[in-house]
Amino acid sequence: MYLLIPAAGSGKRMGADRNKLLLEVHSQPLLAWTLLAAEAASSISWIGIVSQPTDWDDFKAIIANLNLKKTIEFIIGGSTRQESVYNGLQALPKEANHVLIHDGARCLITPDLFNKCAESILHCSGLIAGVPVKDTIKIVDDQGMIQDTPNRAFLWAAQTPQGFDVKLLKKCHDQGLRQGWEVTDDAALFEKCGLEVKIIPGEETNLKITTPQDLAIAEFIIKNR
Ligand code: C5P
């Protein structure tokens, strides 16, 4: 299975002065934990890290330090996640029929979840990992007033990995570019194109590290594994 790791973000919401994937949890950069899980997942054979060239020296040092054996390519990132994934798709080897996309910032993923997604995408054209939400969710307007309370029974929090048929996802990205759609995950492009996306159970611990609090939670989870 081919795996793209969007890793071209900044550390803005983290309040960091560099790519948050270089911040350390339990003595390893976030990206190292993500790569260790991918290396341990028997289904993954090729990894593309979509990132800014200014981070490549640091990322290469992480890879050398972990002594990873899988094929890892570097692909130039874009100014949004959507653009980064677009670039990643163009850089996939010709023979790639399916792809998993996993945010570098979800460094607590287990190899087992990679393997489950890799197996499932062979039987459908689009899937994402997700978990049912525990909170009641409110739709709020820009005045801070609640507009609606959707039925929680139908609400899931989207995670990555997200897996797709490569040809279809490329078409959806092209359509998104033409129409000017701006989305925060790839499933949304599939949905907007009227294609089905299956949700498979993700992991409660598969957090996206976004704030300093998330770093502390990640530290706790990794220490206790
Ligand atoms: O910022 P956020 O954590 O939501 O980004 C999700 C993932 O997308 C991160 O792993 C980040 O590095 C990546 N990203 C990217 N290119 C961008 C912005 C974010 O690859 N321009």
Side-chain angles (χ1 to χ4, degrees):
M1 180 60 58
Y2 296 81
L3 171 68
L4 288 174
I5 300 182
S10 65
K12 229 195 259 163
R13 279 184 293 172
M14 182 63 80
D17 56 359
R18 58 197 167 137
N19 189 330
K20 68 180 171 189
L21 299 188
L22 292 169
L23 301 180
E24 289 196 355
V25 171
H26 206 54
S27 310
Q28 291 277 14
L30 295 190
L31 184 68
W33 292 110
T34 309
L35 288 171
L36 281 169
E39 174 84 1
S42 54
S43 57
I44 308 289
S45 53
W46 183 100
I47 301 169
I49 302 179
V50 192
S51 47
Q52 307 300 353
T54 45
D55 285 330
W56 287 2
D57 283 350
D58 288 323
F59 286 1
K60 283 177 183 165
I62 292 170
I63 291 163
N65 194 36
L66 297 175
N67 199 17
L68 302 179
K69 299 283 180 280
K70 293 189 175 169
T71 305
I72 300 183
E73 303 277 347
F74 283 87
I75 302 150
I76 295 180
S79 58
T80 61
R81 182 189 182 282
Q82 187 175 342
E83 213 177 287
S84 291
V85 174
Y86 180 91
N87 292 355
L89 290 173
Q90 311 313 311
L92 283 174
K94 280 196 307 292
E95 57 276 18
N97 293 323
H98 299 96
V99 64
L100 292 185
I101 298 160
H102 179 68
D103 288 346
R106 286 189 192 270
C107 67
L108 299 172
I109 184 169
T110 64
D112 186 51
L113 184 54
F114 273 131
N115 288 337
K116 265 198 320 198
C117 293
E119 209 285 317
S120 300
I121 193 56
L122 301 178
H123 310 288
C124 63
S125 53
L127 68 78
I128 73 168
V131 288
V133 301
K134 289 180 285 193
D135 295 316
T136 294
I137 304 290
K138 304 289 184 187
I139 312 280
V140 181
D141 68 13
D142 54 9
Q143 306 300 310
M145 301 305 287
I146 294 175
Q147 298 301 304
D148 198 9
T149 303
N151 182 346
R152 194 170 63 187
F154 297 112
L155 296 177
W156 287 63
Q159 301 185 340
T160 64
Q162 304 201 344
F164 302 94
D165 174 287
V166 171
K167 279 198 192 105
L168 284 176
L169 186 60
K170 277 183 167 173
K171 275 192 190 156
C172 295
H173 267 269
D174 288 341
Q175 173 92 338
L177 253 185
R178 281 195 299 272
Q179 309 277 342
W181 295 335
E182 288 177 15
V183 296
T184 50
D185 75 350
D186 298 282
L189 289 174
F190 239 58
E191 295 158 43
K192 279 174 166 293
C193 288
L195 297 169
E196 286 195 323
V197 184
K198 183 177 169 176
I199 198 149
I200 69 163
E203 294 169 339
E204 287 290 345
T205 52
N206 182 20
L207 308 174
K208 182 152 64 89
I209 308 300
T210 309
T211 64
Q213 288 81 354
D214 295 331
L215 278 179
I217 295 168
E219 179 84 29
F220 176 82
I221 292 170
I222 292 176
K223 251 192 209 160
N224 284 282
R225 273 191 178 158

